[in-house]
Amino acid sequence: MSRFLSKQYEKLTPYTPGEQPRERAYIKLNTNESPYPPSPGVVAIKKEQLEDLRLYSDPEAHGLRRALAQQYGVNPENVHVGNGSDEVLNFAFMAYATDGRGAAFADITYGFYPVFAQLNDIPVSIIPLREDFSLCPEDYFSLHQTIVIANPNAPTGLALRLEQVEEILLSNPDSVVIIDEAYVDFGAQSCVPLTKRYDNLLVVQTFSKSRSMAGARLGFAIGHADLIADLERIRFSTNPYNVNRLTLALGETALQEQSYYDENCKRIIATREACKARFHQMGFVFPDSKANFLFVKKEGANGKLLYEELKRKGVLVRHFEAPRLSDYNRITIGTPQQMEVLFQCLEEIL
């Protein structure tokens, strides 16, 4: 840390991404990436698209916003596009939780939420999950703060039903409720339909997980036109060219080939359910995930030791040191072949 850093950032604790080691080839089951490549049209980058990188991207993202609006049954003015959903979420924290209003989110959830709060000097209310890691909707009633819920949640994979989210919306009419749906395509219910009925709901999604484009950095939000205008005000005050030309084009192409990604999601869900049965047979316990990962532990086994031994054998999973989590490991659902290697390694270790 230099002596020139502004004091407001001296105590900032950055987000810790999943490790990306380069010293050897690993089976990567630690960052919830898709095990399948993008669709054929996305992979087939045209020479003209590369040549056009000399030009700025469309600051309004007209084409992609129209395509997203058509895909989700809304209007383009209901869509905001960002450089990954993390940027969208940060803009939302800036727009709706500063000026002392504060933010409320779970004690066990996506690790970037407290970072965004700290970065923007936002007071927070941390709401504990139940003992079984489920979220109690009543804990979020009448908070008078911006509410942020990952649904399905990370790292647990548990999801709320639409009627539970609606209860939270009804009890907080004067606060924005942000639903982070990074993993929604793997079996949970999307809250996008509710955006047509509630002007305080912002739904955030990403192309990183179900659409196999984590490296492209593309996210979006859907909500009432006034909420989207708020985010656009911040975006144009930060970086109007936040999404590059190539990513915008690939995003449109991916939406044209949505059936390909729908099939991949079905494959991942089938693999996840087969893995649940296999983990049960081995004595592991875990929440009933609706995401592309499982959050598992085995009584009597040290979670960190399992992580370390798997890494030594060439399989990366995600381990968290936080209280309530240290006995668990979060395991991304890979291909059936990758998961078979995982189970063989676990049997050897145990």
Side-chain angles (χ1 to χ4, degrees), residues 206-258:
T206 178
F207 279 65
S208 293
K209 313 301 181 183
S210 63
R211 293 192 178 99
S212 306
M213 290 174 60
R217 310 311 304 133
L218 183 59
F220 60 97
I222 295 177
H224 189 278
D226 290 346
L227 293 183
I228 299 304
D230 296 338
L231 298 181
E232 290 292 285
R233 176 183 291 268
I234 292 177
R235 185 174 70 85
F236 272 85
S237 301
T238 306
N239 178 12
Y241 306 110
N242 61 328
V243 182
N244 68 73
R245 291 182 66 92
L246 192 56
T247 294
L248 288 175
L250 297 181
E252 287 188 59
T253 301
L255 292 171
Q256 293 167 8
E257 301 177 323
Q258 183 60 43

Side-chain angles (χ1 to χ4, degrees), residues 97-290:
T98 51
D99 295 338
R101 285 176 286 183
F105 45 82
D107 61 334
I108 299 172
T109 190
Y110 183 33
F112 233 137
Y113 301 159
V115 177
F116 292 143
Q118 191 179 14
L119 178 66
N120 295 295
D121 196 24
I122 294 169
V124 299
S125 296
I126 305 299
I127 302 177
L129 297 178
R130 294 169 171 146
E131 194 64 30
D132 64 357
F133 295 131
S134 63
L135 183 148
C136 178
E138 289 80 3
D139 291 343
Y140 292 80
F141 288 179
S142 304
L143 290 185
H144 306 292
Q145 291 178 293
T146 297
I147 295 169
V148 189
I149 297 174
N151 195 52
N153 195 17
T156 66
L158 293 176
L160 294 173
R161 301 185 306 277
L162 282 189
E163 57 267 28
Q164 293 176 303
V165 174
E166 195 164 12
E167 290 175 351
I168 295 172
L169 287 163
L170 287 168
S171 70
N172 292 278
D174 299 321
S175 300
V176 172
V177 177
I178 302 166
I179 303 296
D180 182 358
E181 293 188 344
Y183 303 101
V184 73
D185 294 330
F186 300 105
Q189 293 177 290
S190 175
C191 293
V192 168
L194 297 180
T195 62
K196 298 178 180 181
R197 292 158 51 194
Y198 297 94
D199 64 359
N200 62 327
L201 171 62
L202 187 72
V203 176
V204 179
Q205 291 195 21
T206 178
F207 279 65
S208 293
K209 313 301 181 183
S210 63
R211 293 192 178 99
S212 306
M213 290 174 60
R217 310 311 304 133
L218 183 59
F220 60 97
I222 295 177
H224 189 278
D226 290 346
L227 293 183
I228 299 304
D230 296 338
L231 298 181
E232 290 292 285
R233 176 183 291 268
I234 292 177
R235 185 174 70 85
F236 272 85
S237 301
T238 306
N239 178 12
Y241 306 110
N242 61 328
V243 182
N244 68 73
R245 291 182 66 92
L246 192 56
T247 294
L248 288 175
L250 297 181
E252 287 188 59
T253 301
L255 292 171
Q256 293 167 8
E257 301 177 323
Q258 183 60 43
S259 60
Y260 169 88
Y261 298 104
D262 292 341
E263 286 303 311
N264 281 349
C265 287
K266 291 177 182 177
R267 295 162 72 186
I268 291 169
I269 291 169
T271 304
R272 181 190 68 205
E273 296 307 301
C275 288
K276 287 180 181 179
R278 190 81 171 267
F279 275 119
H280 270 309
Q281 291 172 359
M282 297 180 69
F284 283 84
V285 296
F286 45 86
D288 186 22
S289 173
K290 298 299 182 184

Side-chain angles (χ1 to χ4, degrees), residues 15-30:
Y15 174 73
T16 303
E19 59 187 319
Q20 306 278 357
R22 297 288 186 265
E23 73 275 7
R24 61 178 286 189
Y26 286 95
I27 292 177
K28 283 186 83 276
L29 305 177
N30 67 323

